[in-house]
Amino acid sequence: VADYQAPVAEYDFLLRRVIDAQPILDASTGGEVDLADVREILGHAGALAAEVIEPLNAIGDRSGNALTDGRVSTAPGFTEAYKAYAEGGWVGIGLPREAGGDGMPAVVVAALNEIFSAANMAFSLGPGLSVGAAYAVFTAASDDLKRLYLPPLVSGRWTGTMNLTEPQSGTDLAGIRTIARQRPDGTWAVKGQKIFVTWGDHDLTENIVHLVLARTEGAPAGLAGLSLFLVPKHLPRGDGTPGERNAVHTVSVEHKLGIHASPTCVLDYDDATGWLVGDQHRGLAAMFVMMNVARVGVATQGLGVADRAYQRAAAYAAERVQGSVEGRPAGTPIAEHPDVRRLLLSMRSTVSAMRAFQLQVAAWLDVARAQPNTEASALAEFFVPVLKGWLTENSVQIANDGIQVHGGTGFIEETGAAQYLRDARILPIYEGTTAIQANDLTRRKLVRNNGATAQAAHALVESAVRSLARHDHPVAQRTVQRLNAALVSAREATATLLEQAKDNPRDLLAGGVHYLTQWGLLAGGWMHARILTAALDAPEDSDTARRALDADFYGAHHLSRIPSLTEAIRAGEIV
Ligand SMILES: Cc1cc2nc3c(=O)[nH]c(=O)nc-3n(C[C@H](O)[C@H](O)[C@H](O)COP(=O)(O)OP(=O)(O)OC[C@H]3O[C@@H](n4cnc5c(N)ncnc54)[C@H](O)[C@@H]3O)c2cc1C
């Protein structure tokens, strides 16, 4: 099996020629880091991922975690790999400098997250949650809490978790029952049970920092009554070292379809000592900081698994010989069967679109952080649910295609192709299911400003089409025509949904996931147009033939799906 190749050169091309990331780097690092440095950083990440973290992917899948006497032990090799990851400074690389991090912008973090997720998704979830927890503490916690908890979270000495879900309260957080009572000393006694807590307990670090959504006594019902609490596994002593064990107990570890190496825990809080993060009854706002980081992160996990599934399938198809390949000499491998070629090109062209789209959203987030309430922040808000929903649904499809390329061998666990599908399957579920992303996109991001951001995004696609139209390359011309046709259909879908929102909101919700998919497909075509334009502008170092092939395939096979989705959206709810 071919080793994992981190897409370092691809990111270099995208960051330089498609996204123009240097001004973003300047703004976030004060001019200290340039694109050559980023390439080097990604190279180091790629080496750690390929040499240390990926070799544990199958091991973790097979051995999972064990819960013995209330303690979770992780799969063999994970402790050492995590140590290498934390000591390499990878946890805090994207956290703000004021929080003790390196301040790398989201465009760099996105690339790093892809690489580590591709190598071992179950592993990379742990540090990903620590980053979210550090953000929440940095943004909302008191100075005392920041002093005590930020350094170990940012360095990776401790990890963080996110505790929202309870048995009766999954998507709808209004049903949360975990309760917090204030003690005379100002701390809080947190009581209740949380389920599905990712990396909720483990033996990688000496302490774990749980961020827990709970209801204070007498708080209003529903979402408005939620507050956020920080509850450590061990109560820190004055000098910051972990002391007495807190009353949070691991009740069980779930048996799951995939990500076996990631301990998904049921945690019982039995009057555990906690501290309020942010204001009382403002818990959801504080948790949203964490959830937004996590949504983009989960989208990127999908990209990582998808690219890894593609790389494995492409390597297999280049060697496996089966049947006579139409129009090719005897002994030609299956990669040349037109249908296997279709599968591989579908995977590759979609991965390219996903990667560029993810970088574009990261770039808007970076600009929005420096200049809130601008077009960049509106675009970031509009596209985050599209990114989360589309990339994660694609990851399942691409991992599935990867198995198909392998034939029967793909169904056999030893090959490794099946693990990607099992791992990817959680991605469209956690951090808000695809339906929840679609509700956010349609109800909040589309309808609330009467389609203004959608129109702005359509105009951006049009402008990319105009740039591409200047090239008389045949694929450029075909892509221009396909994008123009897709835009007409996508605008029609937008107008239809805005009407449905007034007339019958059930119709709007019935078509929401289709609309999200349509935006993903259109964003992918838009990205291919920009990639192709950049490649044709500087063909000497741009791998232009491959990029043109990907754009052509994507246009014919994926952009072409947009009108059928408009048709389904127009039908509304079928009753
Ligand atoms: C492996 C794993 C790890 C997890 N990690 C964490 C974690 O670290 N922390 C944490 O707090 N939680 C975690 N979760 C929980 C996860 O976020 C929830 O499972 C998810 O939000 C869905 O909630 P639910 O399972 O209760 O499903 P439900 O909310 O019951 O949803 C069931 C179905 O109904 C649909 N549905 C529900 N409401 C609506 C609606 N309003 N509109 C349209 N459709 C709707 C959903 O889309 C879904 O298809 C994890 C779950 C798993 C399986």
Side-chain angles (χ1 to χ4, degrees), residues 137-193:
V137 171
F138 173 65
T139 314
S142 67
D143 286 344
D144 281 346
L145 287 179
K146 282 188 204 172
R147 228 182 346 262
L148 210 48
Y149 290 93
L150 271 180
L153 278 173
V154 173
S155 69
R157 213 155 27 85
W158 300 353
T159 62
T161 73
M162 181 167 144
N163 297 235
L164 294 79
T165 309
E166 298 178 8
Q168 76 294 342
S169 182
T171 295
D172 183 8
L173 300 173
I176 285 178
R177 287 185 197 145
T178 297
I179 193 108
R181 295 183 184 85
Q182 192 157 29
R183 294 177 177 138
D185 66 358
T187 66
W188 297 77
V190 177
K191 195 171 184 61
Q193 193 175 79

Short mmCIF file of all heavy atoms in Angstrom, two decimals, residues 137-193:
data_model
loop_
_atom_site.label_atom_id
_atom_site.label_comp_id
_atom_site.label_asym_id
_atom_site.label_seq_id
_atom_site.Cartn_x
_atom_site.Cartn_y
_atom_site.Cartn_z
N VAL A 137 -12.06 29.19 26.39
CA VAL A 137 -11.48 29.75 27.62
C VAL A 137 -10.91 31.13 27.32
O VAL A 137 -11.14 32.10 28.05
CB VAL A 137 -10.38 28.80 28.18
CG1 VAL A 137 -9.61 29.47 29.32
CG2 VAL A 137 -11.01 27.49 28.65
N PHE A 138 -10.17 31.23 26.22
CA PHE A 138 -9.54 32.50 25.86
C PHE A 138 -10.59 33.59 25.63
O PHE A 138 -10.43 34.73 26.04
CB PHE A 138 -8.70 32.30 24.59
CG PHE A 138 -8.15 33.56 24.02
CD1 PHE A 138 -7.21 34.31 24.71
CD2 PHE A 138 -8.57 34.02 22.77
CE1 PHE A 138 -6.69 35.49 24.18
CE2 PHE A 138 -8.06 35.19 22.24
CZ PHE A 138 -7.13 35.92 22.94
N THR A 139 -11.70 33.22 24.99
CA THR A 139 -12.70 34.22 24.61
C THR A 139 -13.58 34.62 25.79
O THR A 139 -13.94 35.78 25.92
CB THR A 139 -13.62 33.66 23.50
OG1 THR A 139 -12.81 33.04 22.52
CG2 THR A 139 -14.45 34.73 22.85
N ALA A 140 -13.94 33.64 26.66
CA ALA A 140 -15.00 33.94 27.61
C ALA A 140 -14.61 33.80 29.09
O ALA A 140 -15.33 34.32 29.95
CB ALA A 140 -16.20 33.03 27.33
N ALA A 141 -13.50 33.13 29.41
CA ALA A 141 -13.24 32.83 30.83
C ALA A 141 -12.58 34.02 31.56
O ALA A 141 -12.05 34.94 30.93
CB ALA A 141 -12.35 31.59 30.93
N SER A 142 -12.61 33.92 32.89
CA SER A 142 -11.99 34.97 33.72
C SER A 142 -10.47 34.88 33.60
O SER A 142 -9.92 33.87 33.16
CB SER A 142 -12.37 34.73 35.19
OG SER A 142 -11.74 33.53 35.63
N ASP A 143 -9.79 35.94 34.01
CA ASP A 143 -8.32 35.95 33.92
C ASP A 143 -7.71 34.83 34.76
O ASP A 143 -6.72 34.23 34.36
CB ASP A 143 -7.77 37.31 34.38
CG ASP A 143 -8.03 38.37 33.32
OD1 ASP A 143 -8.34 37.97 32.17
OD2 ASP A 143 -7.94 39.57 33.63
N ASP A 144 -8.32 34.55 35.92
CA ASP A 144 -7.78 33.48 36.76
C ASP A 144 -7.83 32.13 36.04
O ASP A 144 -6.88 31.35 36.07
CB ASP A 144 -8.58 33.36 38.08
CG ASP A 144 -8.16 34.44 39.06
OD1 ASP A 144 -7.09 35.06 38.80
OD2 ASP A 144 -8.88 34.66 40.05
N LEU A 145 -8.97 31.86 35.41
CA LEU A 145 -9.11 30.58 34.69
C LEU A 145 -8.13 30.54 33.52
O LEU A 145 -7.51 29.51 33.24
CB LEU A 145 -10.54 30.39 34.18
CG LEU A 145 -11.61 30.06 35.22
CD1 LEU A 145 -12.97 29.93 34.55
CD2 LEU A 145 -11.28 28.79 35.99
N LYS A 146 -7.99 31.67 32.83
CA LYS A 146 -7.07 31.70 31.69
C LYS A 146 -5.65 31.38 32.14
O LYS A 146 -4.93 30.61 31.50
CB LYS A 146 -7.07 33.09 31.04
CG LYS A 146 -8.26 33.34 30.16
CD LYS A 146 -8.07 34.66 29.43
CE LYS A 146 -9.42 35.19 29.04
NZ LYS A 146 -9.40 36.53 28.51
N ARG A 147 -5.25 31.98 33.26
CA ARG A 147 -3.88 31.78 33.76
C ARG A 147 -3.63 30.30 34.07
O ARG A 147 -2.58 29.76 33.76
CB ARG A 147 -3.68 32.61 35.03
CG ARG A 147 -2.40 33.41 35.01
CD ARG A 147 -2.11 34.23 36.24
NE ARG A 147 -3.19 34.43 37.18
CZ ARG A 147 -3.96 35.53 37.22
NH1 ARG A 147 -3.77 36.50 36.35
NH2 ARG A 147 -4.91 35.66 38.13
N LEU A 148 -4.63 29.66 34.63
CA LEU A 148 -4.45 28.28 35.08
C LEU A 148 -4.59 27.26 33.94
O LEU A 148 -3.89 26.26 33.90
CB LEU A 148 -5.51 27.99 36.16
CG LEU A 148 -5.20 27.00 37.26
CD1 LEU A 148 -3.84 27.28 37.88
CD2 LEU A 148 -6.29 27.10 38.34
N TYR A 149 -5.51 27.54 33.01
CA TYR A 149 -5.87 26.50 32.03
C TYR A 149 -5.31 26.72 30.63
O TYR A 149 -5.14 25.74 29.89
CB TYR A 149 -7.39 26.34 31.96
CG TYR A 149 -7.94 25.70 33.22
CD1 TYR A 149 -8.40 26.47 34.28
CD2 TYR A 149 -7.95 24.32 33.36
CE1 TYR A 149 -8.87 25.89 35.45
CE2 TYR A 149 -8.41 23.72 34.51
CZ TYR A 149 -8.87 24.50 35.56
OH TYR A 149 -9.32 23.91 36.70
N LEU A 150 -5.07 27.97 30.24
CA LEU A 150 -4.63 28.15 28.86
C LEU A 150 -3.25 27.53 28.58
O LEU A 150 -3.09 26.80 27.59
CB LEU A 150 -4.62 29.64 28.47
CG LEU A 150 -5.92 30.17 27.89
CD1 LEU A 150 -5.79 31.66 27.55
CD2 LEU A 150 -6.37 29.40 26.65
N PRO A 151 -2.24 27.77 29.44
CA PRO A 151 -0.92 27.20 29.09
C PRO A 151 -0.94 25.68 28.88
O PRO A 151 -0.44 25.22 27.84
CB PRO A 151 -0.02 27.64 30.25
CG PRO A 151 -0.69 28.86 30.80
CD PRO A 151 -2.17 28.62 30.64
N PRO A 152 -1.55 24.88 29.78
CA PRO A 152 -1.51 23.44 29.51
C PRO A 152 -2.37 23.01 28.32
O PRO A 152 -2.06 22.01 27.66
CB PRO A 152 -2.02 22.80 30.81
CG PRO A 152 -2.73 23.88 31.54
CD PRO A 152 -2.11 25.17 31.12
N LEU A 153 -3.47 23.76 28.03
CA LEU A 153 -4.28 23.39 26.87
C LEU A 153 -3.52 23.71 25.57
O LEU A 153 -3.49 22.92 24.63
CB LEU A 153 -5.62 24.15 26.87
CG LEU A 153 -6.73 23.58 27.73
CD1 LEU A 153 -7.93 24.54 27.75
CD2 LEU A 153 -7.20 22.21 27.22
N VAL A 154 -2.89 24.89 25.55
CA VAL A 154 -2.22 25.34 24.32
C VAL A 154 -0.99 24.49 24.03
O VAL A 154 -0.68 24.18 22.87
CB VAL A 154 -1.86 26.84 24.44
CG1 VAL A 154 -1.03 27.30 23.25
CG2 VAL A 154 -3.13 27.68 24.55
N SER A 155 -0.30 24.07 25.08
CA SER A 155 0.91 23.27 24.86
C SER A 155 0.57 21.81 24.60
O SER A 155 1.42 21.03 24.17
CB SER A 155 1.82 23.34 26.09
OG SER A 155 1.20 22.65 27.16
N GLY A 156 -0.68 21.42 24.89
CA GLY A 156 -1.06 20.03 24.70
C GLY A 156 -0.76 19.16 25.92
O GLY A 156 -0.95 17.95 25.88
N ARG A 157 -0.30 19.79 27.01
CA ARG A 157 -0.04 19.02 28.23
C ARG A 157 -1.34 18.44 28.77
O ARG A 157 -1.37 17.37 29.34
CB ARG A 157 0.63 19.94 29.27
CG ARG A 157 1.62 19.27 30.16
CD ARG A 157 2.67 20.20 30.74
NE ARG A 157 2.34 21.59 30.91
CZ ARG A 157 1.71 22.13 31.96
NH1 ARG A 157 1.31 21.38 32.96
NH2 ARG A 157 1.48 23.44 32.01
N TRP A 158 -2.44 19.19 28.63
CA TRP A 158 -3.77 18.71 28.96
C TRP A 158 -4.61 18.76 27.68
O TRP A 158 -4.27 19.48 26.75
CB TRP A 158 -4.46 19.60 30.02
CG TRP A 158 -3.71 19.69 31.33
CD1 TRP A 158 -2.61 18.97 31.69
CD2 TRP A 158 -4.01 20.56 32.42
NE1 TRP A 158 -2.20 19.33 32.96
CE2 TRP A 158 -3.05 20.31 33.43
CE3 TRP A 158 -4.99 21.52 32.66
CZ2 TRP A 158 -3.05 20.99 34.66
CZ3 TRP A 158 -5.00 22.20 33.86
CH2 TRP A 158 -4.03 21.93 34.86
N THR A 159 -5.70 17.98 27.64
CA THR A 159 -6.60 18.08 26.49
C THR A 159 -7.94 18.66 26.95
O THR A 159 -8.21 18.74 28.15
CB THR A 159 -6.85 16.70 25.84
OG1 THR A 159 -7.48 15.85 26.80
CG2 THR A 159 -5.56 16.07 25.36
N GLY A 160 -8.76 19.04 25.97
CA GLY A 160 -10.07 19.61 26.27
C GLY A 160 -11.18 18.78 25.65
O GLY A 160 -10.95 18.03 24.70
N THR A 161 -12.39 18.88 26.20
CA THR A 161 -13.54 18.20 25.62
C THR A 161 -14.73 19.15 25.58
O THR A 161 -14.72 20.21 26.22
CB THR A 161 -13.98 16.97 26.45
OG1 THR A 161 -14.61 17.45 27.65
CG2 THR A 161 -12.82 16.06 26.78
N MET A 162 -15.73 18.71 24.87
CA MET A 162 -16.93 19.53 24.68
C MET A 162 -18.13 18.66 25.08
O MET A 162 -18.34 17.61 24.49
CB MET A 162 -16.94 19.83 23.19
CG MET A 162 -18.00 20.64 22.67
SD MET A 162 -17.43 21.10 20.99
CE MET A 162 -18.96 21.06 20.18
N ASN A 163 -18.86 19.08 26.11
CA ASN A 163 -19.96 18.26 26.64
C ASN A 163 -21.30 18.97 26.46
O ASN A 163 -21.67 19.81 27.27
CB ASN A 163 -19.80 18.03 28.15
CG ASN A 163 -18.55 17.26 28.52
OD1 ASN A 163 -18.63 16.24 29.20
ND2 ASN A 163 -17.39 17.74 28.12
N LEU A 164 -21.97 18.63 25.37
CA LEU A 164 -23.31 19.19 25.17
C LEU A 164 -24.37 18.09 25.33
O LEU A 164 -25.34 18.25 26.04
CB LEU A 164 -23.44 19.76 23.74
CG LEU A 164 -22.62 20.96 23.34
CD1 LEU A 164 -21.20 20.59 23.01
CD2 LEU A 164 -23.22 21.64 22.15
N THR A 165 -24.13 16.96 24.66
CA THR A 165 -25.17 15.97 24.44
C THR A 165 -25.55 15.22 25.73
O THR A 165 -24.69 14.86 26.53
CB THR A 165 -24.70 14.96 23.38
OG1 THR A 165 -24.25 15.71 22.25
CG2 THR A 165 -25.80 14.02 22.95
N GLU A 166 -26.86 15.01 25.89
CA GLU A 166 -27.41 14.16 26.95
C GLU A 166 -28.38 13.20 26.28
O GLU A 166 -28.81 13.47 25.14
CB GLU A 166 -28.13 15.02 28.01
CG GLU A 166 -27.16 15.99 28.70
CD GLU A 166 -27.85 16.90 29.72
OE1 GLU A 166 -29.04 16.67 30.03
OE2 GLU A 166 -27.18 17.82 30.21
N PRO A 167 -28.75 12.11 26.94
CA PRO A 167 -29.60 11.13 26.26
C PRO A 167 -30.84 11.76 25.62
O PRO A 167 -31.20 11.43 24.50
CB PRO A 167 -29.97 10.15 27.37
CG PRO A 167 -28.83 10.24 28.34
CD PRO A 167 -28.36 11.66 28.29
N GLN A 168 -31.50 12.68 26.33
CA GLN A 168 -32.74 13.26 25.81
C GLN A 168 -32.49 14.54 25.03
O GLN A 168 -33.41 15.19 24.55
CB GLN A 168 -33.71 13.56 26.98
CG GLN A 168 -33.38 14.79 27.83
CD GLN A 168 -32.08 14.68 28.63
OE1 GLN A 168 -31.56 13.59 28.82
NE2 GLN A 168 -31.54 15.79 29.06
N SER A 169 -31.22 14.94 24.89
CA SER A 169 -30.93 16.25 24.30
C SER A 169 -29.73 16.15 23.37
O SER A 169 -28.59 16.23 23.81
CB SER A 169 -30.68 17.25 25.44
OG SER A 169 -30.45 18.51 24.93
N GLY A 170 -30.00 15.92 22.08
CA GLY A 170 -28.93 15.81 21.09
C GLY A 170 -28.88 17.06 20.25
O GLY A 170 -28.29 18.07 20.63
N THR A 171 -29.60 17.04 19.13
CA THR A 171 -29.67 18.22 18.27
C THR A 171 -30.25 19.40 19.04
O THR A 171 -29.79 20.53 18.93
CB THR A 171 -30.54 17.91 17.04
OG1 THR A 171 -29.88 16.90 16.28
CG2 THR A 171 -30.76 19.14 16.20
N ASP A 172 -31.30 19.12 19.82
CA ASP A 172 -32.00 20.20 20.52
C ASP A 172 -31.44 20.37 21.93
O ASP A 172 -31.79 19.62 22.84
CB ASP A 172 -33.50 19.87 20.57
CG ASP A 172 -34.27 20.99 21.21
OD1 ASP A 172 -33.67 22.06 21.46
OD2 ASP A 172 -35.48 20.81 21.48
N LEU A 173 -30.59 21.37 22.07
CA LEU A 173 -29.90 21.56 23.35
C LEU A 173 -30.82 22.16 24.42
O LEU A 173 -30.45 22.23 25.59
CB LEU A 173 -28.66 22.43 23.16
CG LEU A 173 -27.63 21.85 22.18
CD1 LEU A 173 -26.53 22.85 21.91
CD2 LEU A 173 -27.04 20.56 22.73
N ALA A 174 -32.01 22.57 24.00
CA ALA A 174 -32.93 23.17 24.97
C ALA A 174 -33.31 22.17 26.06
O ALA A 174 -33.72 22.56 27.15
CB ALA A 174 -34.19 23.66 24.26
N GLY A 175 -33.14 20.87 25.78
CA GLY A 175 -33.55 19.86 26.75
C GLY A 175 -32.48 19.49 27.77
O GLY A 175 -32.67 18.56 28.56
N ILE A 176 -31.35 20.20 27.77
CA ILE A 176 -30.26 19.86 28.70
C ILE A 176 -30.72 19.96 30.15
O ILE A 176 -31.36 20.95 30.55
CB ILE A 176 -29.03 20.78 28.44
CG1 ILE A 176 -28.33 20.32 27.16
CG2 ILE A 176 -28.07 20.80 29.62
CD1 ILE A 176 -27.14 21.16 26.76
N ARG A 177 -30.40 18.90 30.93
CA ARG A 177 -30.85 18.85 32.33
C ARG A 177 -29.72 18.96 33.34
O ARG A 177 -29.98 19.11 34.53
CB ARG A 177 -31.57 17.52 32.59
CG ARG A 177 -32.92 17.46 31.94
CD ARG A 177 -33.61 16.16 32.36
NE ARG A 177 -34.71 15.90 31.45
CZ ARG A 177 -35.08 14.68 31.07
NH1 ARG A 177 -34.44 13.62 31.52
NH2 ARG A 177 -36.09 14.52 30.25
N THR A 178 -28.47 18.79 32.90
CA THR A 178 -27.35 18.88 33.85
C THR A 178 -27.46 20.20 34.61
O THR A 178 -27.72 21.25 34.01
CB THR A 178 -26.01 18.78 33.10
OG1 THR A 178 -25.96 17.51 32.49
CG2 THR A 178 -24.82 18.96 34.02
N ILE A 179 -27.29 20.11 35.92
CA ILE A 179 -27.59 21.28 36.76
C ILE A 179 -26.32 21.73 37.50
O ILE A 179 -25.48 20.92 37.83
CB ILE A 179 -28.75 20.94 37.73
CG1 ILE A 179 -29.30 22.19 38.40
CG2 ILE A 179 -28.36 19.92 38.76
CD1 ILE A 179 -30.65 22.53 37.88
N ALA A 180 -26.21 23.02 37.71
CA ALA A 180 -25.06 23.57 38.45
C ALA A 180 -25.58 24.44 39.59
O ALA A 180 -26.42 25.32 39.38
CB ALA A 180 -24.19 24.39 37.51
N ARG A 181 -25.06 24.12 40.81
CA ARG A 181 -25.47 24.91 42.00
C ARG A 181 -24.24 25.63 42.55
O ARG A 181 -23.19 25.01 42.74
CB ARG A 181 -26.02 24.00 43.09
CG ARG A 181 -27.29 23.30 42.71
CD ARG A 181 -27.84 22.46 43.85
NE ARG A 181 -29.01 21.73 43.39
CZ ARG A 181 -28.96 20.55 42.77
NH1 ARG A 181 -27.79 19.97 42.55
NH2 ARG A 181 -30.06 19.95 42.36
N GLN A 182 -24.41 26.91 42.82
CA GLN A 182 -23.25 27.67 43.30
C GLN A 182 -22.98 27.35 44.77
O GLN A 182 -23.92 27.27 45.58
CB GLN A 182 -23.45 29.17 43.11
CG GLN A 182 -22.15 29.94 43.34
CD GLN A 182 -22.14 31.29 42.67
OE1 GLN A 182 -23.18 31.89 42.48
NE2 GLN A 182 -20.96 31.77 42.31
N ARG A 183 -21.70 27.17 45.09
CA ARG A 183 -21.31 26.93 46.49
C ARG A 183 -20.88 28.25 47.12
O ARG A 183 -20.55 29.21 46.39
CB ARG A 183 -20.13 25.96 46.54
CG ARG A 183 -20.48 24.55 46.06
CD ARG A 183 -19.20 23.73 46.09
NE ARG A 183 -19.42 22.36 45.72
CZ ARG A 183 -18.60 21.66 44.92
NH1 ARG A 183 -17.51 22.24 44.42
NH2 ARG A 183 -18.84 20.42 44.64
N PRO A 184 -20.81 28.28 48.45
CA PRO A 184 -20.44 29.54 49.11
C PRO A 184 -19.07 30.07 48.66
O PRO A 184 -18.85 31.27 48.61
CB PRO A 184 -20.40 29.16 50.60
CG PRO A 184 -21.26 27.95 50.72
CD PRO A 184 -21.19 27.23 49.42
N ASP A 185 -18.15 29.16 48.28
CA ASP A 185 -16.82 29.64 47.88
C ASP A 185 -16.78 30.15 46.43
O ASP A 185 -15.72 30.50 45.91
CB ASP A 185 -15.77 28.52 48.05
CG ASP A 185 -15.99 27.36 47.10
OD1 ASP A 185 -16.98 27.39 46.32
OD2 ASP A 185 -15.18 26.41 47.12
N GLY A 186 -17.96 30.18 45.76
CA GLY A 186 -18.00 30.73 44.40
C GLY A 186 -17.86 29.67 43.31
O GLY A 186 -18.18 29.93 42.16
N THR A 187 -17.37 28.47 43.65
CA THR A 187 -17.32 27.40 42.65
C THR A 187 -18.73 26.83 42.46
O THR A 187 -19.65 27.19 43.20
CB THR A 187 -16.36 26.26 43.05
OG1 THR A 187 -16.89 25.61 44.21
CG2 THR A 187 -14.95 26.79 43.32
N TRP A 188 -18.89 25.93 41.50
CA TRP A 188 -20.20 25.35 41.19
C TRP A 188 -20.13 23.84 41.33
O TRP A 188 -19.12 23.22 40.96
CB TRP A 188 -20.63 25.72 39.78
CG TRP A 188 -20.82 27.20 39.59
CD1 TRP A 188 -19.82 28.13 39.45
CD2 TRP A 188 -22.05 27.92 39.55
NE1 TRP A 188 -20.36 29.39 39.32
CE2 TRP A 188 -21.73 29.29 39.37
CE3 TRP A 188 -23.40 27.55 39.65
CZ2 TRP A 188 -22.71 30.27 39.28
CZ3 TRP A 188 -24.37 28.53 39.54
CH2 TRP A 188 -24.03 29.89 39.38
N ALA A 189 -21.22 23.25 41.84
CA ALA A 189 -21.33 21.79 41.89
C ALA A 189 -22.14 21.36 40.68
O ALA A 189 -23.32 21.71 40.55
CB ALA A 189 -22.02 21.36 43.18
N VAL A 190 -21.51 20.62 39.77
CA VAL A 190 -22.15 20.24 38.50
C VAL A 190 -22.64 18.80 38.61
O VAL A 190 -21.86 17.91 38.95
CB VAL A 190 -21.16 20.41 37.32
CG1 VAL A 190 -21.80 19.95 36.01
CG2 VAL A 190 -20.68 21.85 37.23
N LYS A 191 -23.93 18.60 38.31
CA LYS A 191 -24.51 17.27 38.47
C LYS A 191 -25.32 16.90 37.22
O LYS A 191 -26.17 17.66 36.77
CB LYS A 191 -25.44 17.24 39.69
CG LYS A 191 -25.79 15.84 40.15
CD LYS A 191 -26.51 15.89 41.49
CE LYS A 191 -26.81 14.50 42.02
NZ LYS A 191 -25.63 13.69 42.27
N GLY A 192 -25.03 15.72 36.66
CA GLY A 192 -25.78 15.26 35.49
C GLY A 192 -24.96 14.27 34.68
O GLY A 192 -23.83 13.95 35.04
N GLN A 193 -25.58 13.79 33.61
CA GLN A 193 -24.86 12.83 32.78
C GLN A 193 -24.74 13.34 31.34
O GLN A 193 -25.72 13.78 30.75
CB GLN A 193 -25.60 11.48 32.77
CG GLN A 193 -24.73 10.39 32.20
CD GLN A 193 -25.39 9.02 32.28
OE1 GLN A 193 -26.24 8.68 31.48
NE2 GLN A 193 -24.98 8.24 33.26
#
